[in-house]
Amino acid sequence: MEPRGSRDANPSRAVEKVVILALRSGVVLSAAIICLGLAMLIAKGIFSNQIGSGATPLPPRDLGALAAGLGAFDPGSVVTLGLVILIATPFARVAVSILAFALERDWRYVVITSIVLGILGASLALGKSLG
Amino acid sequence: MSMFLVEFSQLLVVSFFAGAVGSLLGLGGGIIIVPVMTLFLRIDFRTAAGASLIAVIATSSGSAAAYVRDRLANIRVGMLLEILTSLGAITGALLVGRIAGRTLFVVFALVLMYSLVPTGQKILAELSHKASSGQPGQSAVSSRLALALRLEGSYFDPAKGRTVEYHLRRVPLGAAIMYMAGLASGMLGIGSGAFKVLAMDSVMGMPIKSSTATSNFMIGVTAAASAGIYFSRGEIDPFVAAPVALGVLAGSLFGAMILPKMAGTGIRVAFFAVIVAISVQMLLRGIRGG
């Protein structure tokens, strides 16, 4: 089971680096997109109206509506895109961890981490079907 | 100024304070922002919880990077226990629609009160000038399951000037508490750090520094499991979630970097008292309704 007979209790630097990169880029990217959406809202002058009272389209709830909203340059959809990226950041973190554990040949943790990713994926399907 | 702009800036400012006070007291931003939104801004509980989950993901992802770099977080333990926390979070998010609003307030109040215990103990220790004593109950050897799953770990402690090695035990009990932590997270829109730390520190015997770091590392995944459900149910309002996420994130960065240098025990006692008062108000709102 022990591939290289290593006594190192912590996963290697490679795992840590990809995990850090996934987390950082996700947060920075989403914060930037949220700010862009808010800037678009100000630019459109919608701040003088009530949101959600017909002045702007309702915020998208699924990726199809989100894509349509983005195509129409709807600020609410841009903000939502930022939020979706933020929600996706932990997903990405788990996904890159699978690769990182595979590179380490730590197959047990490849399986464990895949289970976590599977549960996260199932949560999206459940939200859709029961929502 | 339009109502929208007023509400937006109100949320931004309030969330900034929630994030700052939270990190100053060692609590998550979520556990402070949800009561503030529901009690004072009169925002619907599920909208508040959805927005809070987004803020929880942002702060966890933002701070986890630092903990991983410092090698305090145990990635294997985190990954293994995330199976339980994410299952719990899904259960919580699905349950929240079936539970009466008043019950949610009562449960929230109790969880908040429990979360305040470690902070209260720390402040008491500071007031009586006692250095926190060493941890009881750490194990010299791993249990069979912990050994098979390679859950042992080590980190460098600058205060002690040496590397601390630790071994874990009672993994199934820790995992059960993790499920409950996930349940609270998905139902209440919080990170449930207090329960996660309890499972690792008090039950499994992980040093408190590693427990806290690993908990922070796990919180984002737990929150994402329920945030996905809230999102697809249309319960994440972008114009509530955006200011809350940005505000809490900025506030917690401010609280982590700048406040500790400025704020002495006195200020922390004052904030602590405010949060205790808020928890009582949450309880009353649940009991009386309205």
Side-chain angles (χ1 to χ4, degrees):
Chain A
M1 282 317 279
E2 290 285 302
R4 291 152 303 193
S6 97
R7 291 259 297 109
D8 188 3
N10 283 316
S12 76
R13 286 280 170 200
V15 180
E16 291 174 12
K17 272 189 186 148
V18 280
V19 168
I20 289 172
L21 191 69
L23 292 170
R24 281 243 173 92
S25 38
V27 174
V28 171
L29 186 66
S30 72
I33 292 177
I34 289 171
C35 290
L36 174 72
L38 296 174
M40 282 169 67
L41 194 65
I42 297 169
K44 271 193 162 184
I46 294 178
F47 264 115
S48 53
N49 296 315
Q50 273 282 27
I51 298 296
S53 59
T56 54
L58 279 172
R61 292 172 184 206
D62 57 63
L63 297 182
L66 178 61
L70 288 174
F73 294 102
D74 163 42
S77 298
V78 176
V79 173
T80 304
L81 176 67
L83 297 174
V84 167
I85 291 174
L86 199 55
I87 297 174
T89 301
F91 284 65
R93 192 268 268 179
V94 173
V96 293
S97 299
I98 297 176
L99 289 178
F101 280 123
L103 284 175
E104 287 205 319
R105 298 175 180 282
D106 192 342
W107 305 120
R108 196 167 291 183
Y109 275 86
V110 169
V111 173
I112 288 171
T113 311
S114 303
I115 293 173
V116 175
L117 190 64
I119 294 169
L120 287 178
S123 78
L124 293 180
L126 271 175
K128 268 225 149 19
S129 61
L130 300 174
Chain B
M1 241 184 347
S2 73
M3 272 312 291
F4 174 71
L5 188 52
V6 173
E7 280 166 21
F8 188 92
S9 24
Q10 205 175 31
L11 276 174
L12 197 63
V13 171
V14 159
S15 305
F16 181 85
F17 276 104
V21 170
S23 72
L24 192 65
L25 294 179
L27 299 165
I31 207 153
I32 299 179
I33 194 66
V34 172
V36 171
M37 287 170 83
T38 52
L39 290 177
F40 307 122
L41 303 179
R42 292 273 158 183
I43 291 172
D44 166 68
F45 193 97
R46 279 156 82 172
T47 308
S52 169
L53 281 172
I54 299 286
V56 165
I57 295 173
T59 44
S60 166
S61 303
S63 66
Y67 285 122
V68 175
R69 192 189 49 230
D70 297 340
R71 310 193 101 190
L72 281 169
N74 188 324
I75 297 181
R76 282 205 179 82
V77 172
M79 275 300 170
L80 178 70
L81 296 175
E82 268 162 15
I83 295 178
L84 278 305
T85 59
S86 53
L87 283 176
I90 292 174
T91 317
L94 294 178
L95 272 179
V96 75
R98 291 164 177 78
I99 292 177
R102 286 172 63 175
T103 314
L104 289 175
F105 276 92
V106 172
V107 174
F108 196 105
L110 297 177
V111 168
L112 175 53
M113 285 169 182
Y114 174 76
S115 305
L116 284 168
V117 172
T119 311
Q121 283 172 337
K122 229 170 143 185
I123 289 176
L124 276 179
E126 272 173 40
L127 287 175
S128 54
H129 301 288
K130 261 190 289 186
S132 57
S133 54
Q135 264 188 301
Q138 266 181 36
S139 189
V141 287
S142 299
S143 69
R144 224 154 155 199
L145 188 58
L147 195 66
L149 293 167
R150 296 177 62 195
L151 296 181
E152 70 283 350
S154 62
Y155 66 94
F156 182 75
D157 188 338
K160 289 177 184 160
R162 65 182 170 84
T163 300
V164 177
E165 285 187 30
Y166 57 86
H167 297 269
L168 302 187
R169 65 215 155 89
R170 295 201 285 187
V171 179
L173 180 59
I177 296 173
M178 283 293 176
Y179 178 80
M180 298 308 291
L183 191 71
S185 174
M187 208 162 78
L188 308 174
I190 58 174
S192 281
F195 291 119
K196 290 189 173 85
V197 170
L198 169 82
M200 288 182 280
D201 161 54
S202 308
V203 174
M204 294 167 65
M206 186 190 271
I208 188 75
K209 275 189 181 177
S210 293
S211 299
T212 312
T214 309
S215 160
N216 267 322
F217 183 67
M218 297 173 65
I219 279 170
V221 173
T222 314
S226 41
I229 295 181
Y230 278 76
F231 177 77
S232 46
R233 282 198 302 221
E235 285 168 355
I236 289 181
D237 180 339
F239 295 111
V240 176
V244 169
L246 294 177
V248 171
L249 181 62
S252 64
L253 289 175
F254 175 78
M257 291 187 301
I258 295 148
L259 281 179
K261 288 167 196 146
M262 293 163 42
T265 312
I267 294 177
R268 296 195 21 228
V269 170
F271 280 133
F272 184 75
V274 171
I275 308 297
V276 170
I278 285 179
S279 71
V280 172
Q281 221 168 335
M282 283 298 271
L283 190 63
L284 290 178
R285 169 91 179 260
I287 292 168
R288 289 195 200 131

